[in-house]
Amino acid sequence: MKIMVTGGAGFIGSHTVDALIARGDEVLIVDNLVTGQREFINPAADFREMDIRDAALRELAKEEGVEGVIHLAAQIDVRKSVADPIFDAQSNILGSLNVIEAALAAGARRFVFASTGGAIYGDTDERPTPETALCQPCSPYGITKFSIEKYLYYYQVQHGLSYAVNRYANVYGPRQNPHGEAGVVAIFAQRMLRGEPLAINGDGTQTRDYVFVGDVVRANLAALDADYIGVCNIGTAVESDVNRIFHLINDALEAGREETHGPVKPGEQKTSCVDWRLASKLMGWKPQVSLDEGIRQTAHWFRDQHQ
Ligand code: NAD
């Protein structure tokens, strides 16, 4: 199949492209390299340095005969979305609508969208949180992701677009971006390797559901191959606090750091953890990589970059 991957030069996107190519798909990458990196781009893919808001995207997808789309390109920084909600909406709402229109123009048979289980539910006592929980995103970033889920439903009803939404928990792994939702892993690893000061925000008991990038890639491919319509959480249903992440990275890098704490970050979500059983039912997916193993692989990747 010919698959267009937006954001294919980024963290999750580049791993997704590698997996598609490894199984024999043809890949068209659309990425403006705002956070993506040229060295992550698989040389077997066709790469276009292009913004997802560019109207020429529709013609490109049509000419290239795109059959499936995995849409990952986005402004990913929650704090930036708070500082500049208009830019966030231009990128994540208008840009995404342009990608959906391009998929329609090309007559693509399947559309997979990268949404968020980290930022869409907000703080809730219902954990692991199922897809049926009330979505109360409290950042422009979470709101734009939720909006596109609703637009996809509209495009399915009105235009017959077959789509799947993957709501990722906090994704970590080699090539990860410090601005992403699991940015703490990259930040801690880099500071330890550079010998820079490192303080855990507040008491470090804030929790997240950390899912390894390899597991997320399998979910992207499974969603592309399946034909259900709807939304699945992609996480582990395991809550881990920041103190644990600190110690796992410290041990993996043999950094010998002492745990130190700084001020609480105002407005930070306290907890997050998603129920992934629907993904298991609809597409036979389940997480496979344990946090210990995933953090080890990630920390070692950062160490290799540092040398
Ligand atoms: P990333 O920054 O590494 O990847 C995003 C890619 O999109 C980059 O290559 C960037 O250059 C590209 N891009 C951004 N704006 C663009 C634009 N206007 N036009 C063209 N290309 C553009 O981040 P990532 O962590 O790999 O995130 C991928 C997707 O997964 C995003 O949609 C993000 O919101 C979603 N997501 C990530 C996480 C996480 O923990 N990393 C969690 C939930 C959802």
Side-chain angles (χ1 to χ4, degrees), residues 76-118:
I76 63 156
D77 188 334
V78 176
R79 262 178 281 177
K80 191 165 175 184
S81 82
V82 172
D84 191 351
I86 294 174
F87 174 75
D88 188 70
Q90 283 166 339
S91 176
N92 292 1
I93 297 187
L94 298 181
S96 294
L97 291 184
N98 198 36
V99 177
I100 297 171
E101 289 286 344
L104 283 183
R109 70 144 200 88
R110 188 74 168 158
F111 192 99
V112 178
F113 175 57
S115 187
T116 169

Side-chain angles (χ1 to χ4, degrees), residues 7 9-13 30-36 50-53 72-76 91 114-116 141 145 168-171 177 180-182:
F11 162 45
I12 302 168
V30 173
D31 198 303
N32 67 358
L33 299 180
V34 65
T35 53
M50 190 188 238
D51 197 291
I52 53 167
R53 290 164 291 178
L72 295 137
Q75 188 300 106
I76 63 156
S91 176
S115 187
T116 169
Y141 168 81
K145 292 287 182 186
Y168 311 146
N170 294 73
V171 190
N177 185 316
E181 290 173 58

Side-chain angles (χ1 to χ4, degrees), residues 186-199 257:
I187 292 165
F188 284 0
Q190 284 177 339
R191 296 222 172 128
M192 284 181 195
L193 286 162
R194 291 175 185 157
E196 292 170 1
L198 186 172
R257 292 291 191 103

Side-chain angles (χ1 to χ4, degrees), residues 194-241:
R194 291 175 185 157
E196 292 170 1
L198 186 172
I200 296 167
N201 294 331
D203 66 4
T205 58
Q206 57 275 40
T207 64
R208 297 290 181 267
D209 180 345
Y210 293 90
V211 60
F212 189 64
V213 68
D215 284 334
V216 171
V217 167
R218 283 190 303 101
N220 287 342
L221 270 55
L224 181 71
D225 296 342
D227 55 11
Y228 67 87
I229 304 289
V231 178
C232 285
N233 288 332
I234 302 299
T236 67
V238 177
E239 268 182 76
S240 305
D241 70 19

Side-chain angles (χ1 to χ4, degrees), residues 141-184:
Y141 168 81
I143 294 167
T144 62
K145 292 287 182 186
F146 193 47
S147 305
I148 295 305
E149 294 188 5
K150 298 294 162 204
Y151 273 110
L152 283 168
Y153 179 74
Y154 154 77
Y155 276 99
Q156 194 272 322
V157 172
Q158 291 299 325
H159 300 277
L161 181 70
S162 170
Y163 75 91
V165 171
N166 281 341
R167 285 184 184 159
Y168 311 146
N170 294 73
V171 190
Y172 70 98
R175 303 179 186 165
Q176 88 171 83
N177 185 316
H179 302 296
E181 290 173 58
V184 67

